[in-house]
């Protein structure tokens, strides 16, 4: 069984950027775990803060409910941390927690943010966390009591502003058959509703390249950028 771990800075990042791909894998019988490091209560919840007397705790609770609803639609396990946002501070203790998590979950594929995102330092911090934890997870001498693990695939999902982030996709996943279900996942958010249009349009655009390579009609696709080279017996 394919195991996938998705590491998301904020509550719904993973839904916009990889919800369709996750749905495809779940349908194919994969075991998918989504990890949210924070709920994005401070930086990505503008409309919730228009309520008088609003607090970070209340916004976090709203965002958590949204993420839980989306995870239920997708049929994935959701694990959440409360590491804060804007800024998200990643220290060595948190890196070691990610090492522990990778060694526990032992994913075949890791999805996370791309390495560059000048518009959102939390996304960059998350990508750096995953990359460094993946290196530490394979180290024999780091937490030697926990069985070491080699992460073989890390794919960065598409940022909101791909040109600004120098996003260079090298994988296109055809999500045409789950586009409706992804829409249902996206609609679990009341706080970031505008993102539905952004990523619905993006999926239609990425479908052009996916359709060209696949030689068939593709209506929706998601794009990813690999962090790691591949090794095998052949290309
Ligand atoms: Zn985010």
């Amino acid at each position: 069984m394919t195991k996938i771990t998705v590491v998301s800075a904020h509550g719904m990042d993973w839904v916009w950027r990889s919800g369709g791909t996750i749905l495809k894998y779940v349908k194919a019988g994969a075991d998918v775990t989504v990890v949210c490091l924070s709920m994005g209560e401070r930086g990505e919840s503008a409309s919730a803060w228009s309520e008088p007397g609003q607090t970070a705790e209340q916004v976090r609770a709203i965002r958590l409910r949204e993420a839980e609803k989306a995870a239920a639609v997708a049929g994935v396990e959701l694990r959440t941390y409360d590491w804060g946002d804007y800024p998200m501070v990643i220290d060595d203790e948190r890196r070691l927690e990610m090492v522990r998590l990778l060694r526990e979950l032992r994913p075949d594929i890791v999805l996370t943010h791309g390495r560059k995102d000048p518009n959102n330092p939390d996304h960059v911090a998350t990508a750096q966390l995953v990359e460094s934890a993946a290196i530490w997870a394979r180290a024999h001498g780091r937490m030697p009591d926990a069985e070491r693990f080699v992460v073989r695939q890390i794919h960065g999902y598409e940022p909101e502003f791909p040109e600004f982030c120098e996003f260079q996709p090298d994988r296109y996943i055809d999500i045409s058959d789950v586009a409706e279900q992804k829409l249902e996942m996206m609609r679990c958010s009341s706080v970031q509703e505008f993102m539905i249009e952004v990523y619905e349009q993006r999926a239609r655009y990425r479908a052009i390249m996916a359709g060209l390579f696949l030689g068939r009609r593709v209506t929706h696709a998601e794009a990813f950028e690999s962090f790691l080279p591949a090794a095998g017996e052949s290309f």
Side-chain angles (χ1 to χ4, degrees):
M1 184 204 298
T2 303
K3 290 197 284 186
I4 299 184
T5 299
V6 186
V7 185
S8 180
H10 308 123
M12 293 291 280
D13 292 336
W14 59 283
V15 173
W16 323 120
R17 297 165 173 85
S18 61
T21 301
I22 290 169
L23 284 163
K24 297 275 289 201
Y25 271 95
V26 170
K27 273 183 192 289
D31 180 5
V32 181
T33 304
V34 173
V35 181
C36 292
L37 304 182
S38 82
M39 284 298 127
E41 57 269 17
R42 294 186 188 277
E44 296 183 359
S45 308
S47 64
W49 284 98
S50 61
E51 293 286 321
Q54 189 59 279
T55 66
E57 289 68 32
Q58 287 171 12
V59 179
R60 185 175 191 282
I62 296 168
R63 302 299 314 265
L64 180 59
R65 278 197 299 276
E66 293 179 355
E68 285 172 344
K69 271 168 66 182
V73 173
V76 299
E77 182 195 355
L78 180 70
R79 295 197 190 189
T80 60
Y81 291 93
D82 188 6
W83 286 0
D85 70 321
Y86 279 58
M88 179 176 284
V89 179
I90 303 296
D91 56 15
D92 283 350
E93 194 180 316
R94 290 179 172 183
R95 283 189 195 91
L96 287 171
E97 172 58 21
M98 188 54 57
V99 171
R100 191 203 60 70
L101 192 78
L102 290 173
R103 285 180 174 177
E104 177 204 330
L105 296 174
R106 311 182 86 73
D108 301 290
I109 298 164
V110 177
L111 304 181
T112 190
H113 296 271
R115 288 180 173 124
K116 288 187 183 172
D117 193 343
N119 195 50
N120 198 313
D122 290 0
H123 294 173
V124 176
T126 302
Q128 288 173 346
L129 165 71
V130 170
E131 200 164 19
S132 57
I135 292 166
W136 292 9
R138 70 185 184 218
H140 294 267
R142 173 54 63 195
M143 297 196 293
D145 293 342
E147 193 188 346
R148 62 189 285 273
F149 177 66
V150 179
V151 176
R152 292 192 167 79
Q153 292 194 49
I154 304 176
H155 302 287
Y157 37 52
E158 177 152 7
E160 191 179 350
F161 304 108
E163 299 87 353
F164 193 43
C165 301
E166 298 174 37
F167 181 65
Q168 302 278 351
D170 53 22
R171 310 282 164 109
Y172 296 86
I173 309 293
D174 177 3
I175 61 159
S176 307
D177 57 331
V178 292
E180 275 302 311
Q181 221 179 330
K182 180 180 176 183
L183 203 53
E184 192 186 337
M185 286 170 71
M186 295 197 288
R187 285 178 177 150
C188 293
S189 175
S190 60
V191 174
Q192 284 183 287
E193 253 182 338
F194 65 97
M195 292 288 272
I196 298 173
E197 183 62 18
V198 172
Y199 277 92
E200 175 67 18
Q201 283 195 22
R202 193 69 51 77
R204 289 180 186 277
Y205 174 66
R206 293 303 183 194
I208 300 168
M209 183 63 93
L212 185 68
F213 273 102
L214 290 168
R216 63 170 188 248
R217 180 171 152 73
V218 175
T219 64
H220 293 70
E222 287 171 343
F224 297 87
E225 181 178 42
S226 303
F227 281 32
L228 299 172
E233 300 293 334
S234 62
F235 283 115

